[in-house]
Amino acid sequence: MTPIDRPSESDNPLDHVDWKEAEAIMRRVIISKVGSRGRDDFDDLVQEAIVALMRAVSRGGVQTLEGLTVTIAQRQAYDYLRRIRRPSEPIPELPPGTEDIPAPLEDDDPTLDELEFYVRQILPALGEQCRELFELWFELRNLKLVAERLGVRHDLVRKRRERCIARAYEIFLADDGPLGEWLRERMGVAS
Amino acid sequence: MSPADREHLWASEHLDMFATGLMQDEDLNRFEQHLAACDECRGTVHALAAPEANRGMHIPDALIARWPTTRTTLRGLQRELARRHLATCEECRSILRYRGQSLELERVPGLEPSAEALAALDGLAPSLPGSLGQRTVELPRPRFNLREFLFGGAVGGLVAAAAALAIVSTLSLHPAQHPTPANPGVPALRLELGGGAAVRTLGSIEAGNLVRGGRGDTTITLAPGQSRVRIALAPEPDLAPETQVELELRDAGGALLMHTSMPYSYLIESDRGLAIASDGALPETDLTLLLTWTATTGTRHTVHYLVDLRR
């Protein structure tokens, strides 16, 4: 196996990685974890893992590149197994050191990653109070903790949150694309 | 299924609303009650909040990994939000650049967000009544109970059977919300434009409804009792990719129900089709569908399809 670290004069951290080798490692890891069940999705899974590694490398601070490559590939494989598992099957256990990622929704729905991305993108349109509230929500996912962090009463946070949600609904429901369709479906509103 | 199982199922189905912070208060109380009793859901929510997951801060990796497809399928508000993020995010830009991908999300008719969505996003729209801020175009003379009307069609013999148009419009019935002056008891219809994702929800095109090479007054007859039908149209074998195709839907009285247009190059990129649907059996009326384009010679072509709903 060739080293995944590649000496380079470039300032771009992405140039310091042998991406062909990284891809080969990821492919081996993903195939070994997913097996034949993911045959049709191997290429997509590997490419998604490569993008995740590119992000990590871009941000800097990577200690052991090969270890991180394996970890990201494992996370990708286990996330995939969770996504395709039948309800009767146990949830695949993640190895220590990898982050669990919740299974996404039905196939045609936007994934949780996508939904959270889009909600974060509309935050500037909601105003400062709502932006702060949503960002704390994404960090804590617990309204009582959000209230504590803000230093205001729980019931006041709930009221503020209602106003912020109404504004977010206004934006999403004005959309005739997948985001509007998703929210209308969730609200039980006919399209 | 036990009550606890039902609650678990409900929570699983509503995890997206909880995770995005968009869950309304009543549902949030219910979700939190379930969380208190469910280890699995607590674990899931805990993972959501993990800072290492770095969720939602950037265009999702899955979209970047499939960027050639993403560029042609992001639709509506999601397209605009991704475009705005990409304009300012050096990390996403550098990864795309490194992967040899375009940094632009082109403006493609039919994929762009509605004016209403843009106005709402930019704080220009007036507050919408209640929580039903849907984009609505009042139709002039609503006469029938169509819930959805989705238009598309495979244009051109040079494309394979799966190639098709990519317009989606939806006529929705909303009783009591928009009574029409001409007929106060009749609910108004709504016309919405969208893209491919909505079509996918309809399932496969029924082979019996494929109309290829149809010209003149081709009639599309729907079977009795059908509540939904999809139709693919192939009026012209050799349309150039840049050809702009205009689409009109008119009712039996000639009133225009829908008008839109888009380039052929976009239309053939994915599997789309025309679908008409209603809550019950389709109403007894007929519609005319017109596809119009200008050939390279400058000649204007129009193809009519009569959609016969009278059985």
Side-chain angles (χ1 to χ4, degrees):
Chain A
M1 188 164 62
T2 56
I4 191 170
D5 301 90
R6 189 171 63 184
S8 172
E9 299 289 315
S10 166
D11 290 338
N12 186 349
L14 295 176
D15 288 336
H16 295 249
V17 178
D18 182 338
W19 290 105
K20 282 189 178 169
E21 182 63 13
E23 183 172 337
I25 292 172
M26 286 179 155
R27 189 169 291 275
R28 280 197 296 274
V29 171
I30 289 173
I31 288 175
S32 73
K33 300 295 178 194
V34 171
S36 60
R37 299 173 67 182
R39 191 182 298 118
D40 296 340
D41 299 316
F42 279 152
D43 288 340
D44 282 347
L45 292 173
V46 170
Q47 288 308 311
E48 197 172 332
I50 288 281
V51 172
L53 183 61
M54 284 180 162
R55 288 200 187 282
V57 170
S58 296
R59 291 167 193 163
V62 175
Q63 302 287 324
T64 54
L65 188 56
E66 189 163 341
L68 180 64
T69 303
V70 171
T71 299
I72 287 175
Q74 283 181 331
R75 187 187 306 165
Q76 189 71 33
Y78 285 105
D79 178 36
Y80 177 76
L81 289 173
R82 289 186 58 127
R83 214 157 51 206
I84 65 169
R85 81 183 168 109
R86 298 183 195 91
S88 58
E89 292 178 316
I91 300 172
E93 290 294 327
L94 287 166
T98 61
E99 287 299 326
D100 194 354
I101 298 175
L105 318 165
E106 294 173 19
D107 284 348
D108 286 339
D109 285 333
T111 64
L112 286 180
D113 273 352
E114 289 174 48
L115 290 171
E116 187 167 328
F117 168 72
Y118 294 123
V119 172
R120 282 183 186 273
Q121 298 308 302
I122 68 164
L123 294 186
L126 303 186
E128 182 54 29
Q129 279 198 338
C130 294
R131 187 195 58 74
E132 182 182 36
L133 191 64
F134 269 101
E135 285 185 350
L136 281 174
W137 174 262
F138 289 135
E139 182 185 340
L140 302 166
R141 256 90 180 193
N142 181 310
L143 216 48
K144 284 180 182 162
L145 296 179
V146 169
E148 283 176 20
R149 186 75 72 86
L150 288 172
V152 296
R153 291 204 324 261
H154 183 222
D155 59 324
L156 293 179
V157 169
R158 280 192 179 266
K159 280 185 183 170
R160 184 190 297 180
R161 185 176 162 280
E162 277 180 36
R163 285 196 300 274
C164 295
I165 288 177
R167 177 80 183 98
Y169 279 15
E170 193 174 305
I171 293 171
F172 283 128
L173 290 174
D175 180 39
D176 52 18
L179 292 176
E181 290 162 9
W182 166 76
L183 187 55
R184 279 190 284 278
E185 186 188 326
R186 287 294 180 269
M187 294 176 68
V189 178
S191 293
Chain B
M1 186 182 282
S2 72
D5 289 341
R6 272 198 296 274
E7 280 304 284
H8 184 71
L9 183 62
W10 179 87
S12 303
E13 290 170 349
H14 290 78
L15 176 63
D16 51 356
M17 290 293 279
F18 175 85
T20 52
L22 296 176
M23 184 172 265
Q24 290 182 337
D25 219 33
E26 191 175 323
D27 283 344
L28 183 62
N29 288 334
R30 181 177 172 184
F31 197 96
E32 286 175 339
Q33 280 182 8
H34 175 70
L35 271 188
C38 177
D39 290 342
E40 183 181 331
C41 287
R42 271 202 310 280
T44 300
V45 169
H46 178 73
L48 278 175
E52 297 86 350
N54 199 36
R55 305 172 63 83
M57 307 292 281
H58 294 277
I59 295 175
D61 295 347
L63 298 185
I64 297 274
R66 303 168 186 83
W67 193 246
T69 302
T70 299
R71 279 176 58 209
T72 59
T73 53
L74 280 181
R75 184 166 59 89
L77 201 51
Q78 58 175 199
R79 189 173 187 84
E80 180 65 17
L81 293 172
R83 179 183 287 136
R84 291 185 184 192
H85 178 84
L86 199 52
T88 59
C89 177
E90 189 47 41
E91 181 178 309
C92 289
R93 291 173 68 84
S94 70
I95 289 172
L96 282 173
R97 196 181 296 119
Y98 201 82
R99 292 171 66 82
Q101 299 296 330
S102 167
L103 305 183
E104 301 297 324
L105 271 172
E106 299 88 344
R107 298 200 179 272
V108 180
L111 294 182
E112 298 304 318
S114 65
E116 290 86 345
L118 285 176
L121 180 63
D122 293 329
L124 303 175
S127 289
L128 297 163
S131 59
L132 302 177
Q134 295 180 75
R135 179 179 179 229
T136 301
V137 179
E138 294 295 338
L139 298 178
R141 289 187 291 131
R143 290 170 44 200
F144 45 81
N145 183 8
L146 287 181
R147 189 166 70 88
E148 291 176 284
F149 179 89
L150 304 167
F151 178 79
V155 183
L158 71 165
V159 296
L165 292 184
I167 301 169
V168 177
S169 43
T170 305
L171 298 179
S172 300
L173 185 65
H174 292 269
Q177 285 188 348
H178 302 287
T180 56
N183 192 353
V186 178
L189 296 169
R190 311 215 294 194
L191 175 61
E192 298 179 358
L193 298 179
V199 178
R200 286 201 299 275
T201 65
L202 292 177
S204 61
I205 293 176
E206 295 167 46
N209 296 317
L210 293 178
V211 181
R212 302 206 175 278
R215 302 301 295 264
D217 291 328
T218 301
T219 299
I220 302 163
T221 303
L222 308 184
Q226 278 185 291
S227 62
R228 174 168 286 169
V229 63
R230 295 189 64 183
I231 306 161
L233 304 172
E236 175 61 47
D238 51 4
L239 283 179
E242 65 274 14
T243 305
Q244 196 76 8
V245 180
E246 292 181 28
L247 309 143
E248 285 183 15
L249 176 71
R250 293 182 181 274
D251 70 9
L256 182 65
L257 301 180
M258 187 194 86
H259 176 237
T260 189
S261 67
M262 62 179 52
Y264 175 60
S265 58
Y266 163 59
L267 306 184
I268 62 173
E269 278 177 354
S270 56
D271 187 11
R272 311 284 166 87
L274 160 66
I276 304 171
S278 74
D279 289 327
L282 287 163
E284 294 193 1
T285 182
D286 54 10
L287 307 167
T288 302
L289 205 57
L290 295 94
L291 275 62
T292 305
W293 67 90
T294 304
T296 50
T297 57
T299 311
R300 193 96 169 137
H301 294 275
T302 300
V303 174
H304 302 253
Y305 294 89
L306 178 65
V307 183
D308 180 3
L309 299 173
R310 289 179 295 196
R311 336 283 191 243

